[in-house]
Every structure is written in C-alpha cells, then in structure tokens.
Amino acid sequence: MPYFGQEIMAMAEKKGPLTSATYTAALARNRQMARALGIDATMTKYKLDALVAPTGGPAWLTDLVNGDSSFANSSAPSTVTSVAGYPHITVPAGYARGLPVGISFFGRAWSEATLIKFAYAYEQATRNRRPPAFAASAAPR
C-alpha cells in the first residue's frame, strides 16, 4: 500500500473487543434489520427467489489526498449482505466510460445454489465479461 496505511483498521481496533456489550448489541440490531426486517421480509412479501441490483458505480481513480473514503458506497448490495451474513454473487454487467460495472444477485441464507444458477444464466445470456486490458490510464475508450 504505497499511498495509504491501515488507518481504518487501527481506528476499528481502538473501538474495543468484539465481545463488548456495545458491539454485540449493535451487531444483533444490525443483523435483525438486514435479515428478518430487510432481505427476508422483502423476499417473503414479494415471493422472490433472489434479489438483483447494480453492484455499485464504476471503479474510481485513487484520490491521493482524501483516499477512497469519499467514494464509499454504503448503498451497495454488499453492505446489507455482509451485515446479514447472506450470500451475494457479482458478475460483469458491462462498462461505463471504459470501466467495469457489475450486477449483484443476492438472497436469503443458504440460497447459494439458486444465486449461482441465476448469475450463470445471466453471464451466458449477456457475455459481458472481457479479459482485463491493463491499460496505461483510465481514459474512456
């Protein structure tokens, strides 16, 4: 990591152990919101086998002054699935200004087989994946 260290990891370590009452209460509350009141409730209400959403915006250039924190995307599907501990698979959806973007398939606990089937079918139908080009710059193509 030539430009940034582990500042965020160090800040997280200072918060205390994962066994603290504050942490375990927050974890339980967040899991309840992400699981029973979030993904599970939505899938039950609409009788869904999976949820599909854009993975996030295109990749960004590293900001050497502010770091990547100015680009953090807490609305990405990976946020709620990580908190829930639920499966999430991302496959190429295409390109925006020459940079790859993905599509996410996610769902309830233990739904990996279903998600893999959907993601595979999408990949086969679209053929969006391209091998990396390792371009000298991120200029639009």
Side-chain angles (χ1 to χ4, degrees):
M1 297 188 41
Y3 303 109
F4 303 104
Q6 295 290 321
E7 297 89 2
I8 294 173
M9 180 69 80
M11 289 185 323
E13 267 185 339
K14 289 180 183 176
K15 294 274 186 186
L18 299 180
T19 55
S20 76
T22 303
Y23 175 80
T24 56
L27 180 62
R29 182 179 63 254
N30 289 338
R31 281 190 176 158
Q32 173 76 4
M33 290 172 25
R35 290 176 179 176
L37 301 176
I39 293 172
D40 293 336
T42 300
M43 292 184 71
T44 297
K45 180 177 180 177
Y46 296 104
K47 299 179 177 135
L48 302 175
D49 294 320
L51 294 160
V52 180
T55 300
W60 56 84
L61 299 176
T62 298
D63 183 332
L64 296 178
V65 175
N66 300 306
D68 288 341
S69 62
S70 59
F71 297 99
N73 187 355
S74 62
S75 64
S78 60
T79 300
V80 71
T81 57
S82 294
V83 172
Y86 283 3
H88 172 191
I89 185 169
T90 298
V91 296
Y95 292 80
R97 298 181 307 279
L99 297 171
V101 292
I103 185 168
S104 292
F105 298 83
F106 55 106
R108 301 176 192 270
W110 313 113
S111 63
E112 289 88 344
T114 299
L115 300 178
I116 290 169
K117 287 176 190 175
F118 288 150
Y120 179 77
Y122 177 86
E123 281 187 303
Q124 297 306 300
T126 63
R127 301 287 185 184
N128 284 330
R129 186 191 180 284
R130 285 191 235 151
F134 302 108
S137 79
R141 295 184 213 181

